[in-house]
């Protein structure tokens, strides 16, 4: 298949149970992206800096054994069926209570005990990239409906990474998908990513309780450490959902490393972004705050918050979401 993006695939490794995992490499316009069929993981993104030198800018692991070992940080994975948290490990849909796997205390995080990050996806080449797909059966982790999911990674003409999510169901369910890549524009091996400058087109956050479950209140960021409407350095201690505003086509977020000159911009169809500074890294190969996650998403606990943008998917409908990561220098 001839495209503007060079697309290659190779045998990568096998899981401990012997299941094979393949790696897909996309390259175009100075950007190289590597994606694994395990967890639909973005293992690598290499882009140039101000001086033209290319560097690895995401936190990736060297083999599948490492991904199986360090599951908690969700390095680069697609998470679902419901990204972020569901309070109390349950929700009511059409009058029926569904109890889903609680894997963070009494709450559900990123799809439960065996979410999409721990599955091996099918893969096929498409123009300019690769499409990964899987089927989550009715009742997996307690979620209703047989859900067919695809995630397509492509590189645009300018080397931007485009992630397009699609899903359909045979019964009413809830869906919230995101990619959990950690970014360090100074280089994945450079230590802490704190000090990167961040801008977010968001004037409010979703307030949470002591278990990180939304209270339902949308709190203005003005005058607080959560205000990134103008670019400023990122400090530690962030794990919060931002309520995105209409941008008129401008990026919803920009992350910048002054030393290398690398600038990453994000455009998304999603209503929120979770900013996570990964303070709890350190048990594995990376130091605390080695990368910054910007997870485009619907809001946490939306199935229990009818006032939030809806996450219900019904038969005959299609879930569709797109996020684009652009790379440049200044």
């Amino acid at each position: 298949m001839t495209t503007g993006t060079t697309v290659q695939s190779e045998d990568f490794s096998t899981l401990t149970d012997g299941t094979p995992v393949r790696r897909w490499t996309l390259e175009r316009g100075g950007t190289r992206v590597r994606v694994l069929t395990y967890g639909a993981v973005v293992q690598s993104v290499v882009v140039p800096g101000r001086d033209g030198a290319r560097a690895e800018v995401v936190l990736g692991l060297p083999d599948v054994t490492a991904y199986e070992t360090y599951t908690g940080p969700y390095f680069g994975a697609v998470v679902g069926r419901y990204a972020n948290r569901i309070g109390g490990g349950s929700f009511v849909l059409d009058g029926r209570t569904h109890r889903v796997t609680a894997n963070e205390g009494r709450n559900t995080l990123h799809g439960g005990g065996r979410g999409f990050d721990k599955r091996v996806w099918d893969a096929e080449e498409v123009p300019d990239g690769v499409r990964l797909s899987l089927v989550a059966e009715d009742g997996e982790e307690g979620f209703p409906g047989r859900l067919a999911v695809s995630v397509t990674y492509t590189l645009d003409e300018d080397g931007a990474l485009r992630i397009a999510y699609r899903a359909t169901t045979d019964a009413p369910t809830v869906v919230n998908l995101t990619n959990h890549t950690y970014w360090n524009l100074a280089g994945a091996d450079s230590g802490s990513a704190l000090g990167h400058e961040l801008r977010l087109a968001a004037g409010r956050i979703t307030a949470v309780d002591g278990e990180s479950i939304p209270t339902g209140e949308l709190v203005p960021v003005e005058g607080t450490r959560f205000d990134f409407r103008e670019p400023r350095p990122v400090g530690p201690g962030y794990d919060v959902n931002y309520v995105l505003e209409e941008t008129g086509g401008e990026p919803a977020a920009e992350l910048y490393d002054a030393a290398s000159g690398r600038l990453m911009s994000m455009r998304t169809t999603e209503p929120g972004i979770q900013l996570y500074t990964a303070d709890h890294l350190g048990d594995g190969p990376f130091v605390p705050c080695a990368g910054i996650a910007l997870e485009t998403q619907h809001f946490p606990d939306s199935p229990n918050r009818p006032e939030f943008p809806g996450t219900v998917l019904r038969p005959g409908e299609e879930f569709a979401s797109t996020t684009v990561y652009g790379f440049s220098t200044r």
Side-chain angles (χ1 to χ4, degrees):
M1 183 180 296
T2 301
T3 67
T5 298
T6 300
V7 182
Q8 297 178 319
S9 67
E10 60 185 326
D11 293 332
F12 179 66
S13 187
T14 58
L15 301 181
T16 53
D17 66 4
T19 303
V21 173
R22 291 188 66 78
R23 178 166 70 180
W24 290 74
T25 299
L26 319 179
E27 192 153 9
R28 187 175 191 176
T31 302
R32 189 193 72 195
V33 175
R34 284 179 166 158
V35 177
L36 306 182
T37 54
Y38 179 72
V41 161
V42 174
Q43 183 205 20
S44 170
V45 176
V46 173
V47 294
R50 186 190 296 116
D51 61 0
R54 300 211 302 173
E56 177 64 70
V57 295
V58 305
L59 306 190
L61 302 177
D63 52 47
V64 167
T65 300
Y67 284 100
E68 287 188 287
T69 301
Y70 302 113
T71 57
Y74 301 91
F75 288 113
V78 169
V79 291
R81 154 178 335 197
Y82 197 92
N84 215 304
R85 295 172 175 88
I86 296 178
S90 69
F91 60 92
V92 177
L93 178 57
D94 295 342
R96 180 183 173 188
T97 298
H98 297 276
R99 301 199 178 279
V100 290
T101 304
N103 61 322
E104 188 186 56
R106 67 188 194 96
N107 305 313
T108 302
L109 175 66
H110 292 329
R114 187 173 184 261
F116 295 172
D117 60 293
K118 299 174 183 67
R119 296 277 301 274
V120 175
W121 298 56
D122 295 327
E124 61 178 330
E125 185 176 344
V126 297
D128 295 321
V130 59
R131 177 180 296 121
L132 297 102
S133 59
L134 60 74
V135 172
E137 298 294 345
D138 177 38
E140 281 190 18
E141 301 299 315
F143 289 95
R146 185 178 190 269
L147 190 75
V149 182
S150 72
V151 180
T152 304
Y153 294 97
T154 55
L155 293 181
D156 292 346
E157 289 184 7
D158 59 358
L161 172 61
R162 181 178 297 268
I163 306 180
Y165 308 84
R166 299 288 185 272
T168 57
T169 183
D170 67 356
T173 191
V174 295
V175 181
N176 189 24
L177 303 175
T178 192
N179 178 276
H180 208 291
T181 292
Y182 296 90
W183 301 92
N184 187 328
L185 301 181
D189 60 354
S190 65
S192 172
L194 298 182
H196 279 45
E197 292 182 13
L198 175 66
R199 183 190 64 79
L200 290 171
R204 296 176 296 171
I205 58 172
T206 51
V208 296
D209 63 18
E211 296 179 291
S212 297
I213 303 300
T215 65
E217 184 181 8
L218 303 182
V219 178
V221 300
E222 185 172 3
T224 74
R225 72 184 186 95
F226 298 102
D227 192 350
F228 288 96
R229 291 175 296 174
E230 296 295 329
R232 66 182 184 85
V234 180
Y238 289 92
D239 188 9
V240 60
N241 175 67
Y242 281 80
V243 180
L244 293 177
E245 300 169 346
E246 292 293 334
T247 64
E250 293 300 309
E254 291 180 326
L255 189 65
Y256 177 63
D257 172 55
S260 68
R262 294 187 184 94
L263 174 69
M264 183 182 75
S265 64
M266 296 176 62
R267 291 175 169 83
T268 185
T269 59
E270 288 295 292
I273 288 181
Q274 186 86 7
L275 168 62
Y276 177 47
T277 49
D279 298 53
H280 299 102
L281 289 182
D283 293 335
F286 299 106
V287 302
C289 305
I292 296 169
L294 294 165
E295 306 157 57
T296 60
Q297 61 178 8
H298 273 60
F299 302 167
D301 204 31
S302 289
N304 292 313
R305 288 288 172 185
E307 67 270 31
F308 287 175
T311 56
V312 174
L313 182 69
R314 299 185 181 277
E317 300 175 345
E318 181 184 53
F319 171 90
S321 172
T322 302
T323 296
V324 180
Y325 303 82
F327 306 102
S328 60
T329 61
R330 70 182 185 202

